[in-house]
């Protein structure tokens, strides 16, 4: 919600994007899979440090722990652990290489095409955390929104099918386990996750303007 208030999109990525694209949700709300252990999101490099300033507020309101060190912060990665340590939110930042038309995620050393990610598009709102009393059991979730709660909107990358194929391979719709399920599988020094296939999605005039605006605003 804080990011919504300052106009900073929070975008689904990696396993969370993969799950949402495979399964989706039957309602208009995004429902995290708490048995999946983590929830992967991306914020822009200009907004990554903003989350550091929320450390005390997150602890007080949600009893969460913001975990990072010099190495993770340098590589634009931070984890938010829920109170029982059994579920975490992984926050990734990225570096834009505008002249090359690329985006690098330093933590996983994954490089993607700018056009597969931007312009990000509004997707769904998420249920408030107060509705999830037990992060290990989906049966305890409800769909009743907290009074006065303005649910934040999550975004999707511009071209999820092409982005996911570049990251996970052409069989990305087939669930995998182990190293092959990881975005950086195959190369110890990272993975070039672009150009196979080329993510050349035609854009309307509106989204072409959004592409230019977002690159200027968030890169």
């Amino acid at each position: 919600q804080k990011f919504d208030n300052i106009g900073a999109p929070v975008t689904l990525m990696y396993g969370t994007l993969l799950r949402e694209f495979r399964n989706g949700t039957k309602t208009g709300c995004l429902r995290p899979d708490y048995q999946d252990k983590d929830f992967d999101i991306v914020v822009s490099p200009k907004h990554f440090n903003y989350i550091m300033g929320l450390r005390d507020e997150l602890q007080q309101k949600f009893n969460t722990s913001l975990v990072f060190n010099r190495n993770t912060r340098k590589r634009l990665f931070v984890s938010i652990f829920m109170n029982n340590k059994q579920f975490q939110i992984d926050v990734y930042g990225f570096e834009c290489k505008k002249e090359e038309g690329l985006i690098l995620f330093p933590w996983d050393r994954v490089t993607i095409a700018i056009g597969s990610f931007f312009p990000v598009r509004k997707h769904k709102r998420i249920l408030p955390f107060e509705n999830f009393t037990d992060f290990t059991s989906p049966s305890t979730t409800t769909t009743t929104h907290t009074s006065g709660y303005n649910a934040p909107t999550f975004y999707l990358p511009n071209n999820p099918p092409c982005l996911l194929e570049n990251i996970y391979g052409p069989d990305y719709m087939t669930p995998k386990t182990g190293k092959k399920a990881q975005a950086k599988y195959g190369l110890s020094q990272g993975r070039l996750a672009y150009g196979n296939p080329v993510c050349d999605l035609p854009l309307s005039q509106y989204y072409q303007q959004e592409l230019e605006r977002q690159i200027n605003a968030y890169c």
Side-chain angles (χ1 to χ4, degrees), residues 111-125:
T111 303
I112 65 173
I114 279 183
S116 67
F117 189 79
F118 284 126
V120 296
R121 307 180 186 221
K122 285 187 177 181
H123 181 50
K124 294 178 180 179
R125 294 182 180 273

Side-chain angles (χ1 to χ4, degrees), residues 4-207:
D4 254 10
N5 292 342
I6 63 172
V10 177
T11 306
L12 304 184
M13 192 61 176
Y14 294 128
T16 301
L17 174 63
L18 189 60
R19 177 183 180 274
E20 181 68 9
F21 191 74
R22 281 176 180 162
N23 305 319
T25 50
K26 294 181 180 179
T27 68
C29 291
L30 184 65
R31 299 174 66 93
D33 180 4
Y34 290 106
Q35 294 190 359
D36 196 31
K37 303 303 182 185
D38 62 11
F39 187 81
D40 301 318
I41 58 175
V42 171
V43 298
S44 77
K46 290 187 176 180
H47 297 114
F48 183 81
N49 285 330
Y50 178 72
I51 201 168
M52 306 297 174
L54 301 177
R55 189 175 199 171
D56 293 341
E57 186 173 347
L58 289 170
Q59 172 66 34
Q60 293 170 4
K61 285 189 174 182
F62 302 106
N63 193 25
T64 60
S65 301
L66 197 64
V67 179
F68 61 92
N69 56 38
R70 182 186 302 177
N71 180 47
T72 61
R73 189 167 183 171
K74 181 179 180 181
R75 292 171 61 187
L76 302 180
F77 178 78
V78 61
S79 289
I80 304 171
F81 284 88
M82 309 313 289
N83 54 9
N84 59 8
K85 306 289 186 181
Q86 294 181 340
F87 184 79
Q88 67 190 66
I89 301 171
D90 289 336
V91 184
Y92 297 83
F94 57 85
E95 298 174 359
C96 291
K97 300 178 180 293
K98 290 191 282 188
E99 293 184 358
E100 301 173 53
L102 301 173
I103 291 173
L104 168 67
F105 291 90
W107 180 250
D108 287 316
R109 300 186 180 95
V110 170
T111 303
I112 65 173
I114 279 183
S116 67
F117 189 79
F118 284 126
V120 296
R121 307 180 186 221
K122 285 187 177 181
H123 181 50
K124 294 178 180 179
R125 294 182 180 273
I126 193 169
L127 290 175
F129 282 110
E130 291 91 333
N131 288 343
F132 297 91
T133 56
D134 181 352
F135 293 104
T136 65
S137 176
S139 64
T140 61
T141 64
T142 71
T143 56
T144 302
H145 282 239
T146 304
S147 177
Y149 179 81
N150 184 19
T153 300
F154 281 80
Y155 289 68
L156 290 184
N158 176 51
N159 193 342
C162 189
L163 176 59
L164 290 170
E165 182 170 350
N166 272 281
I167 293 175
Y168 295 101
D171 58 346
Y172 68 89
M173 289 296 286
T174 303
K176 305 179 185 69
T177 59
K179 290 184 177 181
K180 290 186 178 180
Q182 303 302 312
K184 62 180 181 179
Y185 172 75
L187 291 174
S188 61
Q189 298 302 314
R191 178 167 183 170
L192 302 180
Y194 62 90
N196 187 27
V198 174
C199 298
D200 191 16
L201 183 68
L203 298 176
S204 66
Q205 182 178 358
Y206 169 78
Y207 278 114

